[in-house]
Amino acid sequence: MTAHPSPAPSPTSASGPTRVLVLNSGSSSVKYQLLDMRDGGRLAQGLVERIGEETSRLVHTPLQGGGGEKREQNGPIADHAAALKAVAAELAADGLGLDSPELAAIGHRVVHGGLRFTEPTVIDDEVLAEIERLVPVAPLHNPANLTGIRTATALRPDLPQVAVFDTAFHTTMPESAARYAIDVETADAHRIRRYGFHGTSHAYVSRETARLLGKEPAEVNVIVLHLGNGASASAVRGGRCVDTSMGLTPLEGLVMGTRSGDIDPAVTFHLKRVAGMSADEIDTLLNKKSGLVGLCGDNDMREIRRRVDEGDERAALAFDVYIHRLKKYIGAYYAVLGRVDAVAFTAGVGENAAPVREAAIAGLEELGLAVDADLNAVRSDEARLISPDYARVAVAVVPTDEELEIARQTFALVGGAASGGMGGDAVGNTAGNAVENRSATAGNRSEK
């Protein structure tokens, strides 16, 4: 079931249901978007946060027909079932209810699919059981994803529910990149290997970068830098991932907002033996109290840059450590790919922090990389090049669109059945690609 890159899509001319609801369920939150797959346009989007607390909050934004006023609810929302019922009510108020015959499917972001799930998958009891078996390697994410799936299924048991996996895009990595150098029997027994995450973003951005260069994905080698609060890098050769920075969990790799990224494994032993810390305490330290926040107390790159400009030494150190690690991965993936056509920055920091892009590329001129200061300073929601014409390797800023990627993969899988027989070719080339009419809301999203 290995996924393969597809050509850029054209708008779908389906005669049946064409809407897809995308759900991203966290432990105490649900992000959602409703899209029309005829053109990839957004009809509504929103966020429910602090589920299970007295201070729960739902923010809903209607977007169809030019959009409407944002609506907000504040007050206790007991659980995910109550959250999705509240979302359904908001959608219904806009004439977009979950009972609409125009709804083709619900697409769910699932963080960990292991090695079994390499493509979007219609969810049944067997799929649910396998996602649950993967909880030990994704304890913070898969349980919440499962809750969202079960809740949505209870609300619309007749509707296809589709899982789109963060790990799927990275299953094309060769064993030499995916394997850790530990005892093979132990690794296999406990599913220990590099899986990678942010896969929907890396898939979308690598294809969109090829389109920006006027080429097919199969012709282009891209280093994708997904830089948000969670951050990851990937080496994509001809549309297929051959290496990525996150590993068994999202902790490995780049310096992140609160995660350490790469670290000597012996640090954990040292903390246990010398500091007397438990496994849970070390887990919390490395995942929630490290990275930028551990180095300087802030994980917002805007605030860190403000402090750097004011001469704050801790903020300057945090920025330098962040850039040093980022530059190392660019160099490493350049070596892995052998030929690089583009380096693409995406996600909240990658799309908006010009100083990060400038610093990450500085000094790499011998590799054919350079940034044009004026182009880099431009703020835009559109995919664009920020490298000078003479640069051998393009440097791009490509707003990510994980929700659209999930919706397109979902619709490509179930659209034919949902529309009363629209064939595989009619929707198959819509999966996992950029859309021409990007929404103005794309490109500045919360990161895992």
Side-chain angles (χ1 to χ4, degrees):
M1 293 195 299
T2 301
H4 296 285
S6 305
S10 56
T12 299
S13 56
S15 58
T18 59
R19 294 177 183 171
V20 173
L21 177 64
V22 175
L23 294 178
N24 181 354
S25 300
S27 58
S28 61
S29 67
V30 175
K31 289 190 289 185
Y32 63 94
Q33 289 196 15
L34 181 66
L35 299 96
D36 190 328
M37 303 319 296
R38 286 175 297 183
D39 59 5
R42 285 167 176 75
L43 303 176
Q45 65 184 22
L47 168 68
V48 188
E49 57 186 348
R50 299 193 290 272
I51 295 171
E53 301 179 19
E54 293 296 315
T55 57
S56 303
R57 176 172 175 260
L58 188 160
V59 179
H60 174 85
T61 305
L63 298 170
Q64 63 176 340
E69 287 190 13
K70 184 181 295 185
R71 303 195 294 268
E72 183 171 332
Q73 296 181 28
N74 291 279
I77 297 176
D79 52 30
H80 282 71
L84 281 183
K85 287 177 182 176
V87 169
E90 290 293 336
L91 291 169
D94 299 321
L96 303 169
L98 294 190
D99 58 351
S100 169
E102 296 184 60
L103 190 60
I106 299 178
H108 298 265
R109 176 196 176 210
V110 179
V111 167
H112 217 308
L115 291 180
R116 175 173 175 180
F117 298 116
T118 64
E119 293 179 334
T121 304
V122 174
I123 299 166
D124 57 20
D125 289 343
E126 183 181 352
V127 172
L128 278 174
E130 183 62 21
I131 294 172
E132 193 148 23
R133 279 193 287 271
L134 288 163
V135 165
V137 290
L140 299 179
H141 299 99
N142 274 30
N145 302 153
L146 284 164
T147 298
I149 291 168
R150 288 172 174 142
T151 303
T153 301
L155 288 175
R156 281 297 305 267
D158 59 312
L159 201 65
Q161 309 279 335
V162 175
V164 178
F165 298 91
D166 271 16
T167 49
F169 183 64
H170 304 303
T171 57
T172 56
M173 284 190 294
E175 284 291 283
S176 57
R179 281 280 181 181
Y180 292 112
I182 65 173
D183 173 67
V184 171
E185 286 74 21
T186 300
D188 289 349
H190 300 285
R191 307 186 187 207
I192 299 171
R193 63 186 290 119
R194 175 172 286 105
Y195 292 100
F197 300 90
H198 294 146
T200 51
S201 178
H202 286 279
Y204 179 89
V205 170
S206 61
R207 294 179 183 122
E208 185 75 350
T209 302
R211 191 179 73 85
L212 186 64
L213 298 179
K215 298 181 178 181
E216 293 296 319
E219 301 174 311
V220 176
N221 290 354
V222 185
I223 297 172
V224 178
L225 304 172
H226 177 109
L227 307 179
N229 193 48
S232 59
S234 67
V236 182
R237 177 183 291 127
R240 297 165 63 87
C241 177
V242 295
D243 206 349
T244 192
S245 59
M246 286 180 168
L248 174 71
T249 75
L251 179 59
E252 187 179 2
L254 302 174
V255 175
M256 304 177 222
T258 66
R259 298 179 188 134
S260 65
D262 292 340
I263 193 169
D264 182 348
V267 169
T268 60
F269 314 144
H270 181 77
L271 290 172
K272 180 174 176 59
R273 292 167 182 158
V274 175
M277 295 176 69
S278 67
D280 286 344
E281 288 172 329
I282 297 170
D283 187 296
T284 298
L285 172 69
L286 297 182
N287 276 291
K288 298 181 179 180
K289 298 181 179 180
S290 295
L292 293 171
V293 79
L295 288 166
C296 72
D298 272 311
N299 63 335
D300 187 321
M301 186 57 72
R302 293 166 296 187
E303 180 63 15
I304 290 170
R305 285 302 312 174
R306 183 192 66 77
R307 289 171 56 186
V308 170
D309 292 341
E310 292 179 354
D312 187 309
E313 292 184 1
R314 283 189 64 189
L317 174 62
F319 185 79
D320 289 346
V321 172
Y322 183 94
I323 295 299
H324 180 78
R325 184 80 55 81
L326 186 56
K327 199 182 294 279
K328 280 177 64 176
Y329 268 90
I330 294 171
Y333 286 170
Y334 204 119
V336 166
L337 291 170
R339 187 200 84 239
V340 175
D341 299 292
V343 174
F345 290 86
T346 193
V349 174
E351 294 167 27
N352 297 298
V356 169
R357 299 191 296 259
E358 179 184 11
I361 299 301
L364 301 181
E365 290 80 8
E366 290 297 320
L367 298 179
L369 288 157
V371 166
D372 180 285
D374 292 334
L375 294 175
N376 189 38
V378 172
R379 296 293 295 268
S380 172
D381 289 328
E382 297 300 317
R384 61 199 186 277
L385 296 178
I386 60 169
S387 47
D389 292 340
Y390 63 79
R392 191 169 72 250
V393 179
V395 180
V397 180
V398 180
T400 191
D401 203 330
E402 294 173 274
E403 292 80 13
L404 177 61
E405 180 79 5
I406 292 169
R408 287 195 174 276
Q409 290 192 30
T410 296
F411 191 70
L413 184 63
V414 306
S419 63
M422 184 170 60
D425 289 343
V427 295
N429 67 356
T430 69
N433 290 282
V435 70
E436 298 293 336
N437 61 333
R438 177 190 307 282
S439 163
T441 61
N444 191 11
R445 298 173 175 77
S446 300
E447 304 307 327
K448 178 173 66 186

